[in-house]
């Protein structure tokens, strides 16, 4: 074999460079917004009226497998939120007499809301500091959705799984 002979190697081929994270394929936790989470949800809004009973609210919560209901007036305007936690507290205070009470008697009227542009980090901080798990989403003062702490955690878990997959692909090739 001549001394100048060199066998063909992988380095002789041109390779397409890949990146494990780009803005187009992966958002950092600090860049993710409420809108990114809403895009992954069905868009269904479950509401109840203030004059309805807690018994009816419990049925909707059970049937829809959700943890809170948005309370809207006859015009569809957001006037409160009713969570499982609100109901459990009242059950402890008025055992045997809670289900006939109205949603208006139990609902939270001092609402914490967010917009689609708000960062998930900011929303999580507000939920944690305020010790609540559901937040209505308003755009131009109009109700467009609701985000839960579970939605945010699930969104972040999926993002972490994606990051892990991309890193694995980068390592394996």
């Amino acid at each position: 074999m001549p001394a100048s002979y060199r066998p063909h190697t992988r380095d002789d081929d041109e390779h397409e460079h890949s990146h494990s994270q780009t803005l187009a394929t992966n958002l950092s936790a600090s860049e993710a917004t409420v809108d990114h989470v809403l895009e992954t949800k069905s868009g269904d809004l479950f509401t109840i009226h203030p004059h309805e009973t807690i018994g009816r609210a419990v049925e909707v919560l059970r049937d829809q497998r959700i943890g809170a209901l948005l309370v809207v007036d006859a015009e569809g305007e957001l006037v409160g939120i009713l969570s499982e936690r609100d109901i459990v507290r009242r059950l402890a205070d008025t055992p045997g007499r809670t289900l006939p009470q109205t949603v208006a008697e139990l609902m939270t009227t001092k609402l914490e809301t967010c917009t689609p542009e708000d960062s998930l980090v900011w929303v999580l901080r507000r939920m944690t500091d305020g010790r609540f798990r559901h937040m209505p989403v308003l755009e131009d003062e109009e109700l467009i959705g609701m985000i839960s702490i579970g939605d945010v955690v699930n969104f972040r878990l999926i993002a972490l799984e994606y990051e892990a997959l991309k890193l694995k692909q980068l390592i394996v090739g």
Side-chain angles (χ1 to χ4, degrees):
M1 181 182 322
S4 63
Y5 175 77
R6 187 178 62 75
H8 182 80
T9 65
R10 285 191 315 178
D11 292 333
D12 295 333
D13 297 329
E14 284 192 36
H15 296 287
E16 185 178 316
H17 294 288
S18 65
H19 303 281
S20 64
Q21 295 184 16
T22 67
L23 288 177
T25 60
N26 193 12
L27 293 169
S28 76
S30 64
E31 295 170 331
T33 65
V34 169
D35 195 43
H36 292 114
V37 173
L38 290 179
E39 288 172 3
T40 66
K41 295 182 65 166
S42 69
D44 293 335
L45 284 176
F46 298 102
T47 62
I48 196 161
H49 295 284
H51 65 273
E52 293 188 73
T53 66
I54 297 303
R56 175 67 186 131
V58 168
E59 290 172 355
V60 175
L61 291 169
R62 178 200 61 207
D63 294 348
Q64 299 303 324
R65 302 180 68 177
I66 55 176
L69 286 167
L70 297 164
V71 184
V72 296
D73 63 17
E75 291 78 39
E77 294 294 317
L78 182 65
V79 294
I81 189 167
L82 179 71
S83 71
E84 292 171 321
R85 191 178 287 177
D86 297 326
I87 296 167
V88 168
R89 285 185 183 130
R90 184 57 65 97
L91 282 168
D93 294 341
T94 60
R97 300 185 318 262
T98 304
L99 296 181
Q101 296 176 31
T102 65
V103 168
E105 295 175 72
L106 273 75
M107 70 182 186
T108 300
T109 56
K110 184 177 182 260
L111 295 173
E112 296 277 342
T113 64
C114 61
T115 68
E117 296 79 28
D118 290 334
S119 79
L120 291 184
V121 171
W122 181 78
V123 168
L124 272 176
R125 173 59 45 212
R126 283 182 63 196
M127 287 181 172
T128 303
D129 291 348
R131 300 182 54 81
F132 56 89
R133 296 176 291 187
H134 299 87
M135 188 181 286
V137 183
L138 302 178
E139 187 170 44
D140 300 323
E141 302 300 317
E142 184 179 329
L143 179 64
I144 64 163
M146 182 157 62
I147 190 169
S148 73
I149 205 159
D151 296 331
V152 177
V153 169
N154 186 53
F155 180 85
R156 190 60 190 135
L157 283 174
I158 291 169
L160 288 171
E161 288 171 354
Y162 179 76
E163 289 174 27
L165 175 65
K166 295 304 276 181
L167 286 172
K168 190 175 190 179
Q169 289 173 343
L170 181 66
I171 293 167
V172 173

